[in-house]
DNA sequence: ACCGATGGTTCAAATAATGAACCACGCTAA
DNA sequence: TTAGCGTGGTTCATTATTTGAACCATCGGT
């Protein structure tokens, strides 16, 4: 661990609950010497990573991080990161995976990935409009959305896609409670017949769902083992994707095992 | 200059034209030793500020900057407030508006807004680095900055962006006096040919300019009427924005009519 | 006036950064 | 093939920077 890493670790103590921190607090939180913290923060301030707030009584994040975030977004747009995750998902499950994003009151598929393992597979179209009530992705998003949004979605006519499409708002709300508890949404033939989907939400900086990752399997091929594997990989990928687009999961999201965390090479 | 500052300065070499940089390039650009750069980047990678791209051949900005930007935005909602102002400006003028902030000796564009009224419009890139002497935004800021800052900026080489770029320090200072009197800066083709810009400064809590709001119009479309409307809206928006980020305009700023102020009680 | 906070500063001691040279690899041209 | 030049990555003695206890000035409440 070098000096630079130590200094940067100070930025890790800023969060939504603690957007501004004083010198002494920061020293206590980090366990570092006050003088060390002071010098580190001075250097960070010099580069615009932090700045002093009201009259110099405490530090907060600086404008430079905004510039860097813009560049990151330009260098690594959501789509390319998503495609990476989809490749991972399909490799782990040997099934079709896809990503969708909320755009207003609509849910749009933006990317998908096939596995070459099986002759039969669920096929997707990018830019396809999904329904919130009929798809695992939509349910995953609704489960963690604001009540007002859920109300608005369920108040509109709920199309029947297949004989298995659930259209009763009350029963849908009941399912949402189950999804909130497990963190994973399921849909068996609710949008397309013979398709069993698992989906997890992706969160934006405001802790609200911005989209969902899903794995779609022909119902005949779904098994407990596959469901478990898909679920594990989905939660790991979703956590990774949420992080990489700068989002935050809400505290209410059930935590899965974190053993599959990607290793940072040094 | 300490080690931390040196390491962080490496992040300054990333921009829109150069979103990914290899180890050797970075060493050349920074003038540092290759080993030093390697260690710095390794530490930055450890903290998620950068990551290796395709197979580890080069570095790019990492996901941590997105998290920090979110937190900065939560602590100082400059960006979201600014976007509101830009929408207002573009709606009033039917032209492109943008916002930039001073970061050290640089001026960075952080947000912009297009109008859909006209087929032709001035286009912008966020995170673009603007020049102080060539842009209306830069001149607006210089006009109300401390003399030492102006001296420092004008002492450095002043790039020629177009045939209309003013690079004579004395003539620039003369223009600054005019801007101080009117409160609005103008640039006709000084940064990009065929772009006529109007800009006003935004002030921080220390009564110093922290950035600028600007309207950019294709020269062919600029008229007296449009200039008057843009100027009125700019001064109103700037006053509002300065207030909402907790800043104060200096007494030397010419007062415009305040009848157009929008009330935003919370 | 006191006390206990705060942010900021100093200086000898010790730790961490530095850079030339090095290695292994992957190109391209001869 | 081989030589040359580029890349990313690594080593180790030298060096200079970071470190932290103690210090100061100031503020606000009792």
């Amino acid at each position: 661990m070098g000096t630079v890493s130590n200094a940067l670790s100070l930025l890790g103590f800023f969060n939504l609950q603690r957007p501004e921190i004083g010198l002494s607090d920061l020293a206590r939180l980090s366990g570092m010497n006050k003088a060390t913290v002071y010098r580190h923060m001075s250097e960070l301030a010099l580069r615009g990573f932090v700045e002093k707030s009201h009259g110099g009584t405490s530090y907060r994040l600086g404008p430079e991080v905004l510039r860097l975030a813009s560049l990151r977004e330009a260098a690594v747009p959501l789509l390319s990161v998503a495609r990476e995750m989809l490749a991972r998902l399909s490799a782990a499950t040997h099934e079709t995976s896809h990503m969708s994003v909320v755009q207003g009151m609509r849910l749009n598929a933006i990317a998908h990935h096939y596995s070459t393992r099986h002759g039969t597979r669920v096929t997707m179209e990018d830019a396809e409009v999904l329904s919130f009530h009929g798809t695992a992705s939509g349910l995953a998003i609704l489960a963690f959305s604001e009540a007002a949004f859920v109300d608005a979605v369920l108040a509109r006519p709920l199309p029947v896609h297949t004989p298995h499409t659930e259209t009763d708002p009350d029963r849908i709300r009941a399912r949402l409670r189950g999804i909130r508890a497990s963190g994973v949404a399921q849909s068996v033939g609710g949008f397309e017949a013979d398709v069993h989907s698992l989906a997890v939400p992706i969160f934006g900086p405001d802790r609200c769902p911005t989209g969902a990752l899903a794995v779609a399997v022909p119902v005949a091929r779904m098994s407990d083992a596959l469901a478990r594997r898909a679920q594990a990989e989905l939660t790991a990928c979703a956590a990774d994707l949420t992080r990489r687009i700068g989002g935050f999961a809400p505290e209410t999201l059930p935590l899965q095992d974190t053993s599959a965390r990607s290793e940072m090479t040094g």
Side-chain angles (χ1 to χ4, degrees), chain A:
Chain A
M1 253 174 296
T3 309
V4 176
S5 191
N6 271 335
L8 292 178
S9 75
L10 289 173
L11 296 177
F13 293 102
F14 291 92
N15 57 40
L16 286 170
Q17 283 73 43
R18 213 193 294 114
E20 303 194 354
I21 315 182
L23 178 60
S24 299
D25 280 342
L26 208 40
R28 266 190 296 275
L29 284 167
S30 63
M32 297 182 198
N33 186 285
K34 193 158 55 92
T36 303
V37 172
Y38 176 74
R39 281 184 298 255
H40 282 340
M41 294 310 279
S42 296
E43 293 211 60
L44 290 172
L46 199 70
R47 295 291 169 184
F49 282 77
V50 299
E51 64 184 11
K52 288 176 195 156
S53 62
H54 8 93
T57 66
S58 61
Y59 295 94
R60 67 178 173 212
L61 293 167
E64 176 68 4
V65 301
L66 295 180
R67 192 190 74 90
L68 294 178
S70 293
L71 293 174
R72 160 76 184 188
E73 192 52 31
V76 187
L78 170 64
L79 211 53
S80 67
V81 183
R83 278 197 257 265
E84 211 175 285
M85 293 297 147
L86 296 176
R88 220 170 102 186
L89 276 173
S90 289
T93 59
H94 306 303
E95 299 289 348
T96 298
S97 60
H98 61 97
M99 161 113 197
S100 51
V101 294
V102 181
Q103 291 174 2
M105 291 283 285
R106 290 215 317 233
L107 183 62
N108 288 341
I110 61 164
H112 67 270
H113 198 283
Y114 296 137
S115 169
T116 53
R117 173 67 62 95
H118 302 291
T120 64
R121 69 178 72 137
V122 178
T123 57
M124 294 282 309
E125 292 287 350
D126 287 346
E128 190 176 6
V129 175
L130 309 179
S131 84
F132 281 102
H133 67 289
T135 66
S137 296
L139 293 170
I141 289 166
L142 285 186
F144 294 94
S145 292
E146 292 177 1
F149 183 74
V150 177
D151 292 344
V153 168
L154 296 184
R156 305 202 304 180
L158 302 177
V160 176
H161 307 295
T162 77
H164 291 96
T165 305
E166 180 65 73
T167 59
D168 180 65
D170 287 339
R171 280 210 287 272
I172 291 174
R173 285 176 199 278
R175 288 183 66 180
L176 296 184
R177 281 191 288 276
I179 294 165
R180 267 192 291 275
S182 68
V184 178
Q186 241 183 99
S187 168
V188 185
F191 191 64
E192 302 245 27
D194 303 322
V195 173
H196 189 147
S197 289
L198 299 175
V200 292
I202 305 296
F203 298 94
D206 54 359
R207 300 183 117 83
C208 289
T210 59
L213 277 177
V215 172
V217 186
V219 283
R221 198 154 62 222
M222 181 55 91
S223 67
D224 278 359
L226 177 54
R228 271 195 302 276
R229 196 167 348 122
Q231 179 166 343
E233 201 66 27
L234 272 171
T235 45
C237 282
D240 218 5
L241 185 49
T242 290
R243 184 181 62 87
R244 294 182 63 179
I245 65 173
F248 299 94
E251 279 89 357
T252 58
L253 184 74
L255 287 179
Q256 304 291 128
D257 73 299
T258 56
S259 59
R261 290 275 298 282
S262 68
E263 193 61 33
M264 187 74 68
T265 59

